[in-house]
Amino acid sequence: MSHRPRKRFGQNFLHDPIVINKIINAIRPLRTDTLLEIGPGQGAITCPLLEAAGKLTVVELDRDLIGPLQDRCSTLGELTVHSADALSFDFCAVAGQQMLRVIGNLPYNISTPLLFHLLDQHQCIKDMHFMLQKEVVERMAASPGSGQYGRLSVMLQQRCRVTPLFTIGSGAFKPPPKVESAFVRLEPYRQPVVLVTNQSAFETLVKQAFSQRRKTLRNTLRELLDAEDISRLGIDPAARAESLNLDDFAALANRLDEIRKSL
């Protein structure tokens, strides 16, 4: 397929057959799966996914890629193409009564907002397998106390089991990106791992806590909770957000929700 990669779409096309095979083996597509691929591009993993599952839905923003992709996959199975922006796409509408398995080589420039968009629809998603910038995957899987631990870590780990699978060198793509990539599996929890009474309050508190990483909770959360509220939960107001675990963030968010309901 002849196509000039477009920088505004963050296009880096996978071409390495060894990496493609590792990805398909990690996903293990079945004929009974409801698969959706974000950004199929030139079809490097689209074709083997479609051949294995017999049917596949894809979401592609670049209209110039759609015709050649359909031609390439025409004999492999039932391909449904949505010419749309994944950042505003209704994934649950595609799932219907089934649970989606979502796959994609996500453009680095929209990966974080797209992950948050998918989190909002986690109830209809069985699992997700993504190629992402290695640094982003490290942040997703980071533990409290590490330099990579932040808002993305907390928000993802509250909703999903995050499993980094393997790294992918830049040479596996055309054009090669300037950074290493990694392949990661996300499995949404069917039951919450922490009790959160109001998801909006949780999201607000986590975002505010990491808004100024070097400052203490006393300072970053002062517009939401005072030092006494924080102390009563057994959390040191002089601590920084990067030292808190999921239970700590849930406790703080639940206290914020309690205060808001009392007003």
Side-chain angles (χ1 to χ4, degrees):
M1 297 171 68
S2 177
H3 178 84
R4 184 184 296 274
R6 291 175 173 166
K7 197 169 184 179
R8 66 191 176 98
F9 290 153
Q11 291 176 339
N12 299 91
F13 299 124
L14 183 67
H15 69 88
D16 188 318
I18 295 175
V19 174
I20 293 168
N21 190 53
K22 284 183 71 175
I23 288 169
I24 300 302
N25 287 339
I27 298 169
R28 295 182 181 178
L30 302 173
R31 307 292 288 189
T32 53
D33 287 338
T34 302
L35 298 176
L36 183 146
E37 183 185 4
I38 298 171
Q42 296 181 320
I45 62 174
T46 310
C47 293
L49 283 173
L50 182 57
E51 195 167 17
K55 59 185 184 302
L56 174 66
T57 297
V58 300
V59 179
E60 177 56 64
L61 182 59
D62 190 344
R63 295 179 183 178
D64 290 347
L65 289 168
I66 293 174
L69 180 70
Q70 290 172 320
D71 292 341
R72 185 176 181 184
C73 296
S74 61
T75 62
L76 300 178
E78 181 186 337
L79 181 69
T80 301
V81 180
H82 292 269
S83 178
D85 186 347
L87 282 170
S88 56
F89 192 75
D90 187 345
F91 292 91
C92 288
V94 171
Q97 300 302 310
Q98 306 300 315
M99 295 293 284
L100 276 183
R101 302 193 69 198
V102 183
I103 303 107
N105 175 14
L106 302 189
Y108 297 152
N109 57 343
I110 64 162
S111 59
T112 298
L114 184 51
L115 287 169
F116 282 120
H117 179 58
L118 286 159
L119 281 182
D120 289 338
Q121 301 180 67
H122 75 284
Q123 70 276 6
C124 65
I125 297 174
K126 179 181 178 180
D127 60 20
M128 297 174 271
H129 289 83
F130 294 135
M131 282 167 282
L132 292 159
Q133 186 174 340
K134 183 181 176 184
E135 179 186 342
V136 173
V137 172
E138 289 172 346
R139 285 165 50 206
M140 290 163 62
S143 300
S146 67
Q148 293 84 13
Y149 186 71
R151 179 188 174 211
L152 183 63
S153 320
V154 175
M155 297 307 302
L156 279 173
Q157 291 172 30
Q158 183 219 358
R159 302 279 191 89
C160 305
R161 178 180 291 106
V162 181
T163 309
L165 297 175
F166 50 85
T167 58
I168 305 172
S170 59
F173 301 91
K174 289 182 180 178
K178 296 179 181 179
V179 295
E180 273 195 302
S181 302
F183 197 60
V184 62
R185 177 183 295 130
L186 302 174
E187 299 168 277
Y189 293 117
R190 304 276 73 91
Q191 297 295 327
V193 291
V194 289
L195 176 62
V196 172
T197 58
N198 185 293
Q199 185 63 28
S200 177
F202 184 84
E203 292 170 6
T204 297
L205 185 129
V206 172
K207 182 178 181 179
Q208 186 63 31
F210 284 105
S211 62
Q212 296 173 293
R213 291 185 65 95
R214 303 308 302 164
K215 290 194 174 183
T216 64
L217 297 174
R218 178 187 285 107
N219 292 318
T220 58
L221 298 181
R222 65 178 180 274
E223 295 179 3
L224 304 177
L225 298 171
D226 60 30
E228 187 175 344
D229 281 315
I230 298 171
S231 294
R232 284 177 178 171
L233 298 171
I235 299 169
D236 185 358
R240 296 190 178 101
E242 64 194 31
S243 68
L244 304 189
N245 58 31
L246 281 177
D247 289 323
D248 295 329
F249 281 112
L252 290 167
N254 292 345
R255 176 56 184 152
L256 173 60
D257 183 41
E258 184 182 326
I259 292 171
R260 286 177 168 177
K261 287 177 178 176
S262 69
L263 296 178

